[in-house]
Amino acid sequence: MINFENCELYKIKRKRDLYYRLRVTEKNVALILNKYKVYINDKNRLLENPNYELKQLQKRLLRKLYAIEFPNYVFSGVKGKSAYDNAIQHLKSEYMLKLDMSKFFPNTHRNKIYNFFLQKLKMAPDVAKICTDITTINYKNKGVYIEDCVYDYMKAKHIKIKNHLPSGTPTSQILSYLANLDMFDEIINYCREHNLLCSIYVDDITLSTNRKISFEEEKQLKAIIKKYGQKISKGKTIRYNNNEYKKITGFVISPQHQLVVANKTRLKIKKKILQIEDIKKVEIGLKNSLLGLTNFTELSEKNAYRGLKNQLKNFS
């Protein structure tokens, strides 16, 4: 059970107390709610980005949520935790099952967010509604700018809920867990009963153990997810045996239980190297991109690209 009492938002009963703690006035909140730009990015993903003022307000609310003591199996949106921490949780396991939820944010309806603020943080209904308004998007609101291609995209992806947890806000990752808390708690309880190590990273659920995970266990876990209105990505349920390289949230675990640089990352670095005509005159954007990639590889293999990194640092 999560203890919510450390959060300053816990049991707020008056709107004025909420506004005080978020350092905002009621008038200002009314002016900035539902100010979003909705579009499809170059990776063919739906993005719902708040404007500057709304984003700053969401950041202030997020800082209050950070006070909640999250379980050690939650790695997304939690301060001080990362995809790397999620991966190394499973470093010593032999077998792995990965479940990926489809359309996770759109399927997290506004009502789930409201119920979190109302039932878990025990706010007054009108206070819970304001927090819900701050952290959700409603496509019917006039303040939402939606590019033409978005509706075709949503139709193709079978996204029907248009009043939901948005994909591009500071609060969305942490609320994706909190709003679906009952579902995740049931998953964790099932895993404990069956001696499965489980970790949660947004819509990715990773389970591992030193024995084969049965198809009946997979079926039961999927049934729990379906029960709470979420859906599993059909092509993203992945099983790994003990002799396979295991991919988890951007990292790869070898059969020898070591982190190694993913082939995808190596290919990115190789392609960028081929763009360099003179190592002594690397364009600044390309240089920074390569340094970023080589720094990332060091999380898996400390000296994987040490020579390249030193060359880039020495030349302008």
Side-chain angles (χ1 to χ4, degrees):
M1 290 289 291
I2 296 180
N3 180 11
F4 294 105
E5 294 182 15
N6 291 336
C7 180
E8 284 185 53
L9 303 176
Y10 186 68
K11 283 190 174 180
I12 295 181
K13 301 301 180 183
R14 301 183 300 183
K15 290 190 288 184
R16 66 183 183 185
D17 292 334
L18 174 68
Y19 294 137
Y20 174 76
R21 291 177 194 186
L22 295 180
R23 305 196 317 273
V24 70
T25 66
E26 184 173 4
K27 183 179 179 180
N28 286 341
V29 170
L31 289 172
I32 65 177
L33 285 181
N34 258 292
K35 302 293 185 182
Y36 287 90
K37 179 182 178 181
V38 184
Y39 63 99
I40 310 301
N41 70 2
D42 55 4
K43 294 183 179 180
N44 199 37
R45 291 177 181 171
L46 177 69
L47 285 184
E48 299 152 322
N49 288 340
N51 72 358
Y52 177 80
E53 290 81 9
L54 179 55
K55 191 172 187 177
Q56 295 309 306
L57 178 57
Q58 290 165 344
K59 284 182 177 179
R60 290 198 288 275
L61 194 148
L62 176 63
R63 285 194 285 271
K64 305 302 180 186
L65 295 176
Y66 277 152
I68 296 170
E69 296 179 10
F70 289 87
N72 58 10
Y73 50 78
V74 182
F75 292 89
S76 53
V78 179
K79 198 171 184 180
K81 291 187 177 182
S82 65
Y84 169 79
D85 299 310
N86 183 51
I88 62 173
Q89 278 278 329
H90 302 274
L91 199 60
K92 295 181 180 179
S93 296
E94 297 284 350
Y95 298 88
M96 184 180 292
L97 171 65
K98 285 171 53 182
L99 302 175
D100 184 277
M101 285 178 278
S102 173
K103 301 181 281 289
F104 185 47
F105 284 14
N107 282 334
T108 301
H109 191 277
R110 169 192 173 85
N111 291 345
K112 290 185 178 181
I113 309 296
Y114 175 75
N115 286 334
F116 161 69
F117 288 118
L118 183 71
Q119 297 172 6
K120 307 299 185 187
L121 286 185
K122 300 187 182 301
M123 293 178 168
D126 57 346
V127 178
K129 179 183 180 300
I130 294 165
C131 288
T132 305
D133 290 340
I134 291 170
T135 55
T136 59
I137 185 171
N138 184 352
Y139 279 35
K140 294 181 180 179
N141 193 286
K142 292 180 181 179
V144 180
Y145 169 76
I146 305 172
E147 291 190 351
D148 293 337
C149 59
V150 169
Y151 288 108
D152 290 336
Y153 175 92
M154 294 179 73
K155 185 177 180 180
K157 296 288 184 179
H158 305 289
I159 298 172
K160 297 179 181 179
I161 300 173
K162 298 174 184 177
N163 194 350
H164 57 253
L165 185 67
S167 57
T169 71
T171 47
S172 287
Q173 277 201 359
I174 205 166
L175 282 175
S176 71
Y177 169 70
L178 292 170
N180 292 283
L181 185 59
D182 292 342
M183 177 187 74
F184 286 123
D185 279 351
E186 192 166 336
I187 289 170
I188 291 298
N189 288 336
Y190 180 89
C191 289
R192 285 173 176 163
E193 290 172 3
H194 292 256
N195 295 314
L196 297 169
L197 178 63
C198 179
S199 68
I200 297 161
Y201 195 89
V202 196
D203 54 358
D204 288 332
I205 301 172
T206 304
L207 308 110
S208 67
T209 182
N210 287 327
R211 61 165 175 82
K212 287 188 176 181
I213 301 171
S214 72
F215 285 98
E216 178 59 26
E217 288 170 323
E218 178 185 327
K219 179 182 176 181
Q220 291 300 321
L221 287 162
K222 287 181 175 179
I224 293 171
I225 291 167
K226 184 179 180 181
K227 170 183 167 183
Y228 288 92
Q230 296 292 354
K231 298 178 181 179
I232 290 290
S233 296
K234 292 181 179 179
K236 292 187 178 180
T237 297
I238 303 173
R239 288 174 164 270
Y240 293 109
N241 289 322
N242 57 339
N243 59 348
E244 292 180 291
Y245 286 82
K246 303 167 182 65
K247 298 177 183 178
I248 170 171
T249 53
F251 293 87
V252 176
I253 299 174
S254 73
Q256 292 74 39
H257 308 289
Q258 295 177 327
L259 286 180
V260 295
V261 179
N263 288 336
K264 184 178 179 180
T265 305
R266 292 186 186 277
L267 184 59
K268 281 184 181 178
I269 292 173
K270 184 177 180 180
K271 285 181 177 179
K272 290 185 182 297
I273 290 173
L274 292 174
Q275 295 175 34
I276 299 173
E277 295 180 0
D278 184 348
I279 192 65
K280 296 182 180 182
K281 296 179 181 179
V282 183
E283 189 269 322
I284 188 66
L286 181 57
K287 175 183 174 181
N288 289 339
S289 179
L290 270 169
L291 283 173
L293 284 167
T294 54
N295 285 336
F296 176 72
T297 64
E298 288 186 348
L299 291 171
S300 299
E301 297 180 38
K302 192 170 183 179
N303 296 315
Y305 288 91
R306 186 176 181 181
L308 173 62
K309 186 176 179 180
N310 288 339
Q311 281 184 301
L312 290 167
K313 284 184 174 180
N314 290 333
F315 298 119
S316 63

